[in-house]
Amino acid sequence: MHGLNGSQHRREESVVIGFVGGGSRDWAEKLMNLLALTEEFGGTVRLYDLDYESARTNAELGRKIQRQEAAVGDWSYEAVETLEAALDGADFVVCSTQDPPSETFAHDLDVPQEYGLHQTVGDTVGPGGTFRALRSIPQYREIAAAVREHCPDAWVFNFTNPMTVCTRTLYEEYPDINAVGICHEVYHVQEWLADLAAEHLDIDEPAYEEVDVTVKGVNHFTWIDEATLGGRDLFEAVDAELATRDPPSYEPGDPAIADMSVYGTNHEVTLDLYRRYGILPAAGDRHLVEFVPWYLDPVEAPADIHRWGIKLTPSSHRVESWPEAMAEREAILSGEEPVDISHPGEEMVDLMTALLGHGAVKTNVNVPNQGQCPDLPEGAVVETNALLTEDSLTPLTAGTLPAPVRSLVETHVTNQETLVEAGFAGDLDLAFRAFRNEPLVTLDPADIEALFADLVEAERDYLDAYDIAGADVLH
Amino acid sequence: MHGLNGSQHRREESVVIGFVGGGSRDWAEKLMNLLALTEEFGGTVRLYDLDYESARTNAELGRKIQRQEAAVGDWSYEAVETLEAALDGADFVVCSTQDPPSETFAHDLDVPQEYGLHQTVGDTVGPGGTFRALRSIPQYREIAAAVREHCPDAWVFNFTNPMTVCTRTLYEEYPDINAVGICHEVYHVQEWLADLAAEHLDIDEPAYEEVDVTVKGVNHFTWIDEATLGGRDLFEAVDAELATRDPPSYEPGDPAIADMSVYGTNHEVTLDLYRRYGILPAAGDRHLVEFVPWYLDPVEAPADIHRWGIKLTPSSHRVESWPEAMAEREAILSGEEPVDISHPGEEMVDLMTALLGHGAVKTNVNVPNQGQCPDLPEGAVVETNALLTEDSLTPLTAGTLPAPVRSLVETHVTNQETLVEAGFAGDLDLAFRAFRNEPLVTLDPADIEALFADLVEAERDYLDAYDIAGADVLH
Amino acid sequence: MHGLNGSQHRREESVVIGFVGGGSRDWAEKLMNLLALTEEFGGTVRLYDLDYESARTNAELGRKIQRQEAAVGDWSYEAVETLEAALDGADFVVCSTQDPPSETFAHDLDVPQEYGLHQTVGDTVGPGGTFRALRSIPQYREIAAAVREHCPDAWVFNFTNPMTVCTRTLYEEYPDINAVGICHEVYHVQEWLADLAAEHLDIDEPAYEEVDVTVKGVNHFTWIDEATLGGRDLFEAVDAELATRDPPSYEPGDPAIADMSVYGTNHEVTLDLYRRYGILPAAGDRHLVEFVPWYLDPVEAPADIHRWGIKLTPSSHRVESWPEAMAEREAILSGEEPVDISHPGEEMVDLMTALLGHGAVKTNVNVPNQGQCPDLPEGAVVETNALLTEDSLTPLTAGTLPAPVRSLVETHVTNQETLVEAGFAGDLDLAFRAFRNEPLVTLDPADIEALFADLVEAERDYLDAYDIAGADVLH
Amino acid sequence: MHGLNGSQHRREESVVIGFVGGGSRDWAEKLMNLLALTEEFGGTVRLYDLDYESARTNAELGRKIQRQEAAVGDWSYEAVETLEAALDGADFVVCSTQDPPSETFAHDLDVPQEYGLHQTVGDTVGPGGTFRALRSIPQYREIAAAVREHCPDAWVFNFTNPMTVCTRTLYEEYPDINAVGICHEVYHVQEWLADLAAEHLDIDEPAYEEVDVTVKGVNHFTWIDEATLGGRDLFEAVDAELATRDPPSYEPGDPAIADMSVYGTNHEVTLDLYRRYGILPAAGDRHLVEFVPWYLDPVEAPADIHRWGIKLTPSSHRVESWPEAMAEREAILSGEEPVDISHPGEEMVDLMTALLGHGAVKTNVNVPNQGQCPDLPEGAVVETNALLTEDSLTPLTAGTLPAPVRSLVETHVTNQETLVEAGFAGDLDLAFRAFRNEPLVTLDPADIEALFADLVEAERDYLDAYDIAGADVLH
């Protein structure tokens, strides 16, 4: 037996966190709030960003948060000018990076639309996910190499999409890295299951952490084959919910759609897939529809997508949310807006707490497959539960998937592995083989080629690690 | 070393061949012609068919062939009324069966067309292949059980499509069966390579047997990663051919299309896939396009398919060819038409000759995977080369496929394995999981369900081994 | 995240424990003591034994323990006369069975000694382990069948050796069983590591639960490739210990040997294997030496074994300890001896507590391989850590073994799998293939056969599930 | 179908053979005789040897052979002074090398005898095989590197033991090499089976090539699970032979032993293993006994080994046969002895003939596992049948081994892979892990270490690629 309540003998030290992408408009603030609320440990956060100004602003925000009464943790913040300065001797490295949306993400979404391909998210798979992967691989190689040099034993938390490819890149470059990809998508499914339990099984308002799920697959396309609460099977609640639903036919004007954020979901695709395969997808509908050809393929107009109770996230939303977040941050710093220290519903600091020896945590993580998914390729990054204890993260075995589902998942594993290989080799012809094999890309062969070429052209400035001149597919 | 030129000690006996589907309009005549031209051995052929009259007519035709001067083999023919009578003590069992096209195959093609899904063949994968599989599995279980009882050591040659599923069913029912699925698709690719060698490499008219290819994959979706002639790499000839071609844009009226049989090919899809993956598909274009989503999916009208230099095989062709063949056979028997004993370009009797100990043969066969395709699941029926010697058939190792191609192939392996499981269990919900996972079936989810239900309804009389009432997908 | 501190929504019920081998002289008393000390839950224990009288005596002892002041748990005890009565509706089934040593275990040890084969334990592998396995398989099939019928969802805890074979048999008979093999061998290694940490790393008296180890292999031949305490690497302590040791050459009269229990160990074999392979064996030396040929093979007299600081456990010890334990129990019941409720250092009730939802436990268990040992065969029973939460036991991935060690382990996996196959088929020729492949059995071939025959003869009454008359090896 | 009778389009060229170890006393003469008898092709043989004089003498012998009337092939011979000169542009490379026996092989045999370990051959596994492997790995790396540079497409035939390790080294150094390990051990088993067929099945004097066997395993420890002749099962003949035999108890003076060459066998071990496992070993008894612990372990004096109808090959035989062969060659060159051109019963030129396109050959070869042995590790060198055609060698799938036999084989696969890893790293501690895991090495742990150190000391001059000073096991 090994105690899970934390060690008497843990090392008590001041913790150093290096934040890569420290100008982040979202994850940085979440982290700073969480740290402010943490009593178990304190230390220093070093914020590094290509946009130094943005990192500096975040440092200022961090210090402002620390000055609030609600802030119990003891943390200092500094913006640094080099990756090395952020990482040197760090205990944790947090990665949350993004290229300027107007020069990248906007193209990822808009160029395929010209060919009739609509993407609900576009950051994981499909044309957008593929190009985001191609852009990220050289960046994450660089981060991994810097970790190897400056903080080889640090725990590296990645929040950047495409989660699987970025995390896989870290391990490909530096196989001994302690990296883990962290995503909240499964928590939301646990929350939904908790709601269903309350509604259909007459259980009093359970917290999402009480819902125990066996997760497996790849990020944003994970599957749950067992969900329980207090030993009770929650698939009963899902079945009960399914029985209340009509075939989905939402209209754009329906309130369930009209008032919904672009990040919202009505779980219709989830339930459709559950009904087909007897196993529950563990991601929002807007992600799920990008992994299979059936929901987005026959779309003639974006409105059709609404039928499934989901919305497209338009590129304008991506482009505009960037300065909006900036403005909001400025407003807080200037005192125009109040500082709000609330728990953002994220688990990253819980994971740090566990790794520092203050008690175990079980949660879903993205790490290379070492048996947790015995029917997926060894070494590919998969998402399953893991147990985190002092300085240790161990995946839990998750068992196999039903064969037809495994086949759907493995298509993406192959594409992701192929992209990493292409990214390390700078080989766009190899990348195109993955692109063409994306379930969303069911265009005529000549159009697939043209779309790929258009995307390369639009994002050429971000692809300088690739041999564009030598790519057959472009000529 | 083991001699490949035939044994001095082979058993010399009169051979018994049981033909299941002995009323066949095509393979029976081919077999009878080949046997008439064979000097190494003789014996008896027993023709069994649900349509006894057709078997009786074939027996008569067989005897007429034997009476020709060109017939050097010594063979007798008889029509029998039961499967048992055909198989009892047989040395070889030949399977070539087909349900009445107007009641089955026609629906396989026409019902999906109502949903916009056009199939160029429809007998292997896609909606048509799936339903043909569902109809065949119970029939091939019955044949395997009869072999186990009446001729457990016989060599069973299957010619029926879907080749993979039928052959897999034989092994699932009777694991010790000596069954082999035989298909001429690869020979045609060897012929084409021989032509290209003559044209581009200045080699004198090679015979197709001189072309050595390393084949792997599943039937009608096999791939060649090495092709040589006299030690010379034939991919040079393919590259040379590719250089002569423009992007395909055949018009329906083009002579290359207009005068072409529905079985014809202009190798455009083959070359397109070769260009993408660096490995050569080893089947006709009309088969290949059904295994991937790109060529048939965006079709708005059947004519679009012509662009790739291929034709749809309309259901009317299937329905009409049946009585035409009947009539032709009658004309020969009545003396109206002459008997023409010519070599049909098939290898089945060469395989028999090898198995009887008259010298070795190397050719492509469909048998369960025992290592010949190490990156495909063990036990699934795969197509690779094998060596046939006296009473022995041994697959040759074929090595692995490039990852993106393996991913395409494995989708079909999973579907085929799922269909066999569904067929043995009579489970249409499980069958639907395979159906939905077919790359051609990229319809809206509700339409996929409706199409499946329509096909079940149309072919209900041929699906009595399935639990239609209990299938969730139909209700 | 899923909370590990126990559920708010767990089912609160009175627990039923069926004890198979309830007349047990050792595990029954341990269980009763542990339950008496447990506050979280209470219930009923039903004791079943072929020797009903012994079960009845234990029930009386259980009730006496409950009457002690220190007993905080609320438990009732009853002896039952059938397996069905013990299992019907049980929440937990505890298995601890043993055939009469004088008729079985004594032969397991003494007959091989006539051939020069000395066994230090003889209950897991080697000649003794093999025959114990053959006797146990039919018994554990019967238990599994009864569980399937009377309490299909119960958690079954097995304590009987050979641990791997008994647990594997339960799953082979009833694949959906919730069975787990539990062994304390690893705890003792954790204790030793805690001692070494105190001694060499200057850490204050750590509890064994603070030592975190990554365990993998098969029961009694598991290996640790990572051991930490508070994030500190304990292999440093092992290295330090190794540096203090001379090459082992204990004499029978040395106090370290002379005063040591037959169950004692001086860790010399452990350290020898650690030095060779760089990975730490996680079992007592007396077990380890039976898994490899080097330590027991060249023995000319039992005294030689002492050189390694270990003792043989003579058959007389096994035979005599049986009535001694009986007498001791009687003395307690009669009041001659006081009842001593102390914690026996076992974890079984901690596991129950976790499975009932009162907080998670991480410990080493024996269950079928589903990826936790990716380099050992799927389905074989392996020992690794697992996480136990409410109604759930999930193995943690343990990673691979160094190739030479894996080779040593896999020999035993093959033997164990072969024995289970032989036991289900009643096939002694197949059993002999495993027997002959035991590393300890390096006799001349004719002697191996004679030894096997002698053991069958000696234990014939316990082998009636086997086809003795039809075994080639015996004739 | 691909024709097996040879190509019409093969390249007709003069062939260049580079012979590494061209001073060889055995294989060089065999090759020269075979070439002299070959009509299909001619060319040049370049003999390279560290002992240049010996190569020169062989060249002279080759020319003398060519001058005989019986010599139909057209060949010229030359001794060359560098590896490069031998290999530059070669079509075939033949490797048959040996260190001076008195400085190496003699120690391999004699040093272990001092510890009671008797080896019947000592060139494949056991202490002798291990040290021969350690000496060979650096040499075969060098050869592979030279092939890569000077004749990257050549076919490399290896005849040197340890066959598996030498061939594996070639592939480890140069993965694209066309190397094949060739051994006659299986032919002798085919001959024996032919004899048994004649004796027990009343078949007229079959040639060994008529016996068809399915071979699998590692060199000198291969197994046959199917043997046929003219479709007839030859295990019937083996069973009949077994029935005639008494338990083996040969005395040193028995004629079957006394007059037998040290290379002879009475097949007693073969039959003993066949009886145990139902599958036939395919190597001489003198090899087989070194792969398992039962036959040589309990030997108290060399004479005991005779009981199994085999002899030790004493080191003196190895040392003396070297100058004897030299003298014999001199006698032929001086005209004292006649030149005898007879077929040596080896197949190497048949393999060349096939690879040059003159007709297919099926025979047993040693190449990396790519599915031919699906239950052995991928990439390890295994021995199975292969089909050789023009410029192509393809292993035939051989299926799985019975689990207990597979376990015996896999122990050696692990050792061999470990040795190659140790050889490339120069790591004697890793090599010792393999040494200690040899089934023959069942000494007391301290003696195993001492024996290893003694062997390193004795052969230190041949181990300069290893880090002797840094090896823990030696200090």
Side-chain angles (χ1 to χ4, degrees), chain B residues 26-27 30 105 119-126 128-130 132-133 158-167 181-189 215-224 263 265 269-270 273 280-292 295-296 313 318 346 364-367 376 381-384 401 405 408-410 412-413 416 438-440:
Chain B
D26 182 21
W27 287 104
K30 283 174 172 170
F105 206 165
Q119 297 168 85
T120 40
V121 187
D123 69 354
T124 306
V125 292
T130 301
R132 183 177 277 248
N158 176 48
F159 294 94
T160 306
N161 285 322
M163 173 59 73
T164 308
V165 168
C166 289
T167 308
I182 301 172
C183 174
H184 49 207
E185 204 71 19
V186 173
Y187 320 157
H188 300 158
V189 177
V215 180
K216 50 195 151 190
V218 291
N219 181 247
H220 293 156
F221 200 48
T222 43
W223 297 78
I224 291 172
Y263 303 108
T265 178
V269 174
T270 296
L273 291 168
L280 192 73
D285 287 5
R286 53 198 284 281
H287 282 299
L288 295 172
V289 294
E290 297 187 339
F291 284 83
V292 292
Y295 302 99
L296 292 177
T313 316
R318 299 299 191 175
E346 299 291 343
N364 55 301
V365 299
N366 293 273
V367 292
L376 293 177
V381 165
V382 295
E383 185 164 342
T384 65
L401 289 162
V405 173
L408 298 175
V409 172
E410 203 179 10
H412 292 285
V413 171
Q416 290 159 339
E438 280 292 319
L440 284 195

Side-chain angles (χ1 to χ4, degrees), chain A residues 272-278 293-295 297-298 307-308 377 402-408 410-412 414-415 418 429-430 432-434 436-439 441-446 448-449 472-473 475, chain B residues 272-278 293-295 297-298 307-308 377 402-408 410-412 414-415 418 429-430 432-434 436-439 441-446 448-449 472-473 475:
Chain A
D272 188 57
L273 290 168
Y274 172 70
R275 192 163 61 91
R276 308 300 184 186
Y277 295 113
W294 314 303
Y295 301 99
D297 178 64
R307 180 185 143 207
W308 290 96
V405 172
R406 193 194 59 76
S407 179
L408 299 175
E410 204 180 8
T411 295
H412 292 284
T414 302
N415 285 353
T418 303
D429 287 313
L430 187 55
F432 179 70
R433 290 188 190 165
R436 181 182 166 90
N437 205 18
E438 280 292 318
V441 181
T442 50
L443 301 174
D444 176 280
I448 300 177
E449 215 164 309
D472 285 346
V473 67
H475 303 102
Chain B
D272 187 57
L273 291 168
Y274 171 70
R275 191 164 61 91
R276 307 300 184 185
Y277 295 113
W294 314 302
Y295 302 99
D297 179 62
R307 179 183 144 211
W308 290 95
V405 173
R406 194 195 57 75
S407 178
L408 298 175
E410 203 179 10
T411 295
H412 292 285
T414 302
N415 285 354
T418 303
D429 288 311
L430 187 54
F432 180 70
R433 290 186 190 166
R436 181 181 166 91
N437 205 19
E438 280 292 319
V441 180
T442 50
L443 302 174
D444 176 279
I448 300 177
E449 212 164 311
D472 285 346
V473 67
H475 302 103

Side-chain angles (χ1 to χ4, degrees), chain D residues 374-453:
Chain D
D375 55 352
L376 294 177
E378 192 188 326
V381 165
V382 294
E383 185 164 343
T384 65
N385 284 324
L387 183 70
L388 288 87
T389 56
E390 184 165 10
D391 209 31
S392 165
L393 182 156
T394 312
L396 286 143
T397 56
T400 57
L401 288 162
V405 173
R406 193 194 59 75
S407 178
L408 298 175
V409 173
E410 202 178 11
T411 295
H412 292 284
V413 171
T414 303
N415 285 353
Q416 290 158 339
E417 293 285 300
T418 303
L419 284 176
V420 171
E421 192 185 341
F424 274 69
D427 181 343
L428 287 176
D429 288 313
L430 187 55
F432 180 70
R433 290 188 189 163
F435 184 81
R436 181 182 164 90
N437 204 17
E438 281 292 319
L440 283 194
V441 180
T442 50
L443 301 174
D444 176 279
D447 285 347
I448 300 177
E449 214 164 308
L451 167 57
F452 188 82

